């Protein structure tokens, strides 16, 4: 049966995109796999800006209204129909661009999909430059009428808008100067109209509930529009019904079915500040707490998990390198992935083992295919870490340098800027001449063309004696380069202690040191003389970029722990993960989770109780059983026969590892029997 429930506007599409992303980050493995298959099978992808992020989604899924797993499974519809609908109704247009391809490939790799090609639809009235440009965040109160904010918010939500009041005059074709003349004695009106006329598609819109929280967070899908009395704001203090006529279309994506998002849920950390509690409309650069909340909601990640991750993120950001250590099965690898998700970072995952070496990790000689004579040659190939660092540098350098330069020149038009020379305490006075070129008046013959400055911003290179270019360029990079232009990259090394560390890292012991991140930590590798491409970022030596972090995991009781020498240990921060601290991996068990955690804690207290320092002689908390073992209940029919699933878990998984723990110890058989009894019954270890 043919589907006819096509979307009606871009807000419908954005909501569908958000739905698909929520499946992608769901706690349900079935939902995640379903979403991954949608991305794998897609041929055409809709592109939508969510603030300073680009979201991608298969056109076939987002082309039908309020789509979900059930609807799409029953009838997935025809992709050619949705594509034609997008074009015919001028909602989206076809676009081929290297920028989109790179952004798409980065996203797909982040979810574990290597997709060679795709085709894109972008919003009909936008260009690639619009998708590349920065966005703002706007905070708006839904009404000026006291005690009626909830009803006013419902009007915003149901109509998919935000709106402001004042005169019922359509200002679509008015300049800001013309609007100002109408409100010459009303500074609040001028401020509000100044901002609403600046809002563009993709900007973040937040509807405020004073200082208590946000009614909702949405994405602007239009610029300024007018419709008389489109929004009922309520009844004002004079008993008159108040209506607003100036509005923006908004796709509201983050909200609560009942009530509002409390400020505590947003986790605003200094130096970030919240919105102004009162006032009509205000503007800010997009706060990180808003970006985090949007991503968290899309990924179904609960705020409790995020709070827990914040501790590890702070430790990782301060030290650059972190090792998660603890008993087997405590979810160290699971936690590492959670940390990466909470950071919004790209990541690579490898697992060390005894045969892993420098060639795999850094670089080495690899055989080439047979030539025409049947001979095999060898060529230098980057290892997994070096390739990862190249991607990080590439992303780190993808800033819009032209925009940065233009902002600097805009500031120069207002006044001369005084900069301290990078060589000495000399003050350099920088201005812009009549031809719009950067100049230093005190050095009348010195000017810097836009091309010259952009080349420095991209390469950080200029003539050794060119003090002005470097001083000005470094200032631009420091002041105008936005945080969001630099994406974090995290390299996860599972079982880091199982490899021969000195053989794998080689001379990289120096460059991974937290104090030598970036080009100051550049080292000559063993194969340096074989790098002949001058465009290779490591042509002059290898270094670990400042936006690259390393997380290693290791089990406390592995004998290979002893292979971690002190030179390596001091380059990492260490954090022990306890079995009872990391139970998020058991969330899929829903209401059964508490019972499973109780059983796990009971068994671990019998192995070794850290509060009473009592347990089985020769064991310690390092021998606790982690949640990953109990997650194996999913292998059995626990929903229909839980007692049998518990038995299978003991016989097939727990008994064997506990037997190895106790092998050769005094009263091994008796202690194993005691642990079995504790596992099956509550006893005094509850």
């Amino acid at each position: 049966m043919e589907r006819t429930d096509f979307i009606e506007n871009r807000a419908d599409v954005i909501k569908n995109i958000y739905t698909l992303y929520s499946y992608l980050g769901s706690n349900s493995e079935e939902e995640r796999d379903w979403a991954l298959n949608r991305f794998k099978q897609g041929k055409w992808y809709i592109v939508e800006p969510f603030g300073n992020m680009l979201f991608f989604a298969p056109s076939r899924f987002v082309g039908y209204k309020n789509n979900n797993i059930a609807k799409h499974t029953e009838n997935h519809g025809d992709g050619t129909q949705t594509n034609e609908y997008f074009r015919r109704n001028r909602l989206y247009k076809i676009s081929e661009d290297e920028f989109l391809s790179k952004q798409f490939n980065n996203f797909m790799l982040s979810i574990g999909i290597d997709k060679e090609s795709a085709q894109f639809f972008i919003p009909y009235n936008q260009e690639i430059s619009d998708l590349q440009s920065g966005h703002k965040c706007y905070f708006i109160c839904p009404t000026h009428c006291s005690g009626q904010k909830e009803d006013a918010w419902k009007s915003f939500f149901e109509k998919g808008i935000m709106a402001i009041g004042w005169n019922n005059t359509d200002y679509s074709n008015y300049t800001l100067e013309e609007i100002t003349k109408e409100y010459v004695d009303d500074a609040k009106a001028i401020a509000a109209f100044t901002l609403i006329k600046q809002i563009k598609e993709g900007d973040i819109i937040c509807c405020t509930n004073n200082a208590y929280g946000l009614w909702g967070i949405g994405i602007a899908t239009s610029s300024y529009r007018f419709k008389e009395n489109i929004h009922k704001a309520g009844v004002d203090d004079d008993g008159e019904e108040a209506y607003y006529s100036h509005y923006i279309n908004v796709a509201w994506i983050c909200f609560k079915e009942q009530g509002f998002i409390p400020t505590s849920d947003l986790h605003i950390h200094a130096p970030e500040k919240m919105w102004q509690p009162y006032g009509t409309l205000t503007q800010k650069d997009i706060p990180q707490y808003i970006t985090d909340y949007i991503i968290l909601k899309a990924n179904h990640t609960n705020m409790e998990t995020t709070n827990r991750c914040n501790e590890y993120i702070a430790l990782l950001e301060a030290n650059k390198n972190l090792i998660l250590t603890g008993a087997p099965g405590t979810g160290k690898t699971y936690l590492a992935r959670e940390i990466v998700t909470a950071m919004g970072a790209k990541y690579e995952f490898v697992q060390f083992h005894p045969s892993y070496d420098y060639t795999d990790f850094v670089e080495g000689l690899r055989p080439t295919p047979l030539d025409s004579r049947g001979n095999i040659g060898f060529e230098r190939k980057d290892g997994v870490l070096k390739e990862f660092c190249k991607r990080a540098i590439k992303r780190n350098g993808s800033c819009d340098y032209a925009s940065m330069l233009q902002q600097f020149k805009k500031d120069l038009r207002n006044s001369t800027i005084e900069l301290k020379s990078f060589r000495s305490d000399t003050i350099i006075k920088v201005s812009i001449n009549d031809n719009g070129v950067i100049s230093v008046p005190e050095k009348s013959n010195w000017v810097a063309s836009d091309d010259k400055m952009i080349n420095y911003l991209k390469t950080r290179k200029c003539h050794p004696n060119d003090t002005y270019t470097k001083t000005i360029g470094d200032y631009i990079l420091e002041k105008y380069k936005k945080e969001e232009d630099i994406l974090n990259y995290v390299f996860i090394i599972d079982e880091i202690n199982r490899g021969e560390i000195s053989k794998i890292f080689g001379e990289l012991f120096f460059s991974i040191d937290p104090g030598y991140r970036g080009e100051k930590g550049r080292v000559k590798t063993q194969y340096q003389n074989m790098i002949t491409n001058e465009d290779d970022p490591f042509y002059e030596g290898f270094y670990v970029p400042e936006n690259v972090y390393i997380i290693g995991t290791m089990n406390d009781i592995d004998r290979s722990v002893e292979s971690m020498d002190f030179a390596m240990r001091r380059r990492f921060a260490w954090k022990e993960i306890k079995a009872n601290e990391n139970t998020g991996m058991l969330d899929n068990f829903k209401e059964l989770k508490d019972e499973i955690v109780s059983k796990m804690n009971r068994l671990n207290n019998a192995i070794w109780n850290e509060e009473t320092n009592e347990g089985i002689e020769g064991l310690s908390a390092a021998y606790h059983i982690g949640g990953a073992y109990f997650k194996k209940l999913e292998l059995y029919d626990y929903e229909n026969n839980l007692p049998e699933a518990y038995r299978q878990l003991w016989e097939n998984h727990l008994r064997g590892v506990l037997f190895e723990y106790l092998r050769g110890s005094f009263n091994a058989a008796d202690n194993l029997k005691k642990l079995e009894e504790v596992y099956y019954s509550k006893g005094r270890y509850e």
Side-chain angles (χ1 to χ4, degrees), residues 389-390 393 522 533-543:
C389 289
K390 280 186 177 178
I393 290 173
R522 195 186 292 272
N533 181 6
E534 295 188 10
D535 292 330
D536 190 312
F538 301 132
Y539 175 71
E540 297 178 355
F542 176 74
Y543 64 91

Side-chain angles (χ1 to χ4, degrees), residues 358-364 381-383 386 504-505 508 525:
Y358 184 91
T359 301
D360 303 305
F361 195 58
V362 185
E363 62 185 345
K381 288 284 188 180
D382 290 335
K386 199 169 190 182
I504 295 173
F505 278 85
L508 265 60
T525 66

